[in-house]
Amino acid sequence: MIEIVIYSIIIGAIGGGCIAAGAARMFHAPEIQAMGAFRTLGELNACAGDPVAHFSFGLGFFFNAAASAVAAGAMSGDVFHRIVPNWSAGLLLLRNNKVEDTLYNPGKMFITGAGVGAVVVTFLNTVASMIPDKLAMIAGSVLNPAATWLLNPVMPAIFWLAAMDAGKTTGLWGTILGGVSALVSGNAVPGIVLGILIGKSAEENGYKSNIVRILIAIVVIMFVAIAYFRGFFAQFGF
């Protein structure tokens, strides 16, 4: 656990600082060479310098990233491309709402991004490492065949087929949660993987098991939170 924390702090600080600084440099292109992603630039612009918007946008993806970390033991690209830059911008804008002095400043964004990255990466890796060994073995035995066939364009289909191949209960949970995940976050993979964990646990321990009930409760809360912060309910007037 200590090694995980130390490595997470180092990697999170370096990665977060560089990504946040790179995003800030993109606002000065083409006069200054930039190294950020265009989607990050567009999403930062969409928040219009509002710290609440930056925090809300990043928080929606944070729950999605947490689901991926818990279910698959790996972080998604949203951590560095969306969460870290937006939360860094939000923190800076809380003290100074002039984007020219905050969001557009690579130096300030680097320092803030390093801190945010260290905290976020450490938290996600720590949570993922606390998953019981039995559940990790279940996930590994079901997901390893899918991982060998992994191709980005067909990732949801591959994981869904792995869930269906693991049994009726697992396939049902994977299909339901995959559909919910696709609706609220645009990515079915975290939901399918969480469905595999719940389905296999239910098959082995039954629905009266505390582990299964806790997993279901966590997943429900997680997806409700993702839907809320991603504006899913707002589409229906709630």
Side-chain angles (χ1 to χ4, degrees), residues 10 46 101 124 132 163 210:
I10 295 173
D101 299 331
L124 293 177
N210 288 332

Side-chain angles (χ1 to χ4, degrees), residues 2-27:
I2 295 177
E3 288 185 358
I4 292 175
V5 171
I6 293 175
Y7 291 150
S8 297
I9 291 174
I10 295 173
I11 295 171
I14 295 174
C18 292
I19 290 295
R25 286 170 64 93
M26 290 194 74
F27 290 100

Side-chain angles (χ1 to χ4, degrees), residues 165-192:
D165 189 56
K168 292 183 179 179
T169 301
T170 303
L172 179 63
W173 275 103
T175 301
I176 294 174
L177 292 185
V180 172
S181 181
L183 284 173
V184 302
S185 70
N187 184 4
V189 174
I192 296 173

Side-chain angles (χ1 to χ4, degrees), residues 27 29-30 34 61 78-79 82 127 174 179 181 183 198 200 202 214 220:
F27 290 100
F61 285 101
D78 293 334
V79 174
R82 290 185 165 116
V127 170
S181 181
L183 284 173
I198 293 176
K200 294 302 292 185
I214 291 172
V220 170

Side-chain angles (χ1 to χ4, degrees), residues 20-198:
R25 286 170 64 93
M26 290 194 74
F27 290 100
H28 301 279
E31 290 80 9
I32 298 177
Q33 182 65 41
M35 60 177 183
F38 283 109
R39 66 176 179 179
T40 303
L41 177 67
E43 290 160 357
L44 288 171
N45 268 328
C47 293
D50 180 9
V52 176
H54 284 291
F55 282 123
S56 298
F57 185 84
L59 191 60
F61 285 101
F62 176 76
F63 287 110
N64 193 30
S68 297
V70 170
M75 290 186 297
S76 65
D78 293 334
V79 174
F80 285 124
H81 279 292
R82 290 185 165 116
I83 300 171
V84 172
N86 276 283
W87 282 4
S88 300
L91 286 172
L92 289 173
L93 289 165
L94 281 176
R95 301 190 344 182
N96 184 352
N97 59 6
K98 294 182 178 179
V99 292
E100 294 80 8
D101 299 331
T102 52
L103 176 57
Y104 298 175
N105 189 309
K108 292 181 179 179
M109 284 289 286
F110 176 85
I111 295 173
T112 309
V116 173
V119 172
V120 171
V121 172
T122 301
F123 176 81
L124 293 177
N125 284 341
T126 301
V127 170
S129 68
M130 294 173 65
I131 298 300
D133 293 340
K134 187 174 183 180
L135 290 181
M137 291 176 62
I138 291 173
S141 63
V142 175
L143 298 178
N144 280 342
T148 60
W149 309 325
L150 187 59
L151 292 173
N152 288 331
V154 295
M155 186 184 297
I158 293 298
F159 279 89
W160 180 74
L161 289 174
M164 297 297 292
D165 189 56
K168 292 183 179 179
T169 301
T170 303
L172 179 63
W173 275 103
T175 301
I176 294 174
L177 292 185
V180 172
S181 181
L183 284 173
V184 302
S185 70
N187 184 4
V189 174
I192 296 173
V193 178
L194 288 171
I196 290 173
L197 287 176
I198 293 176

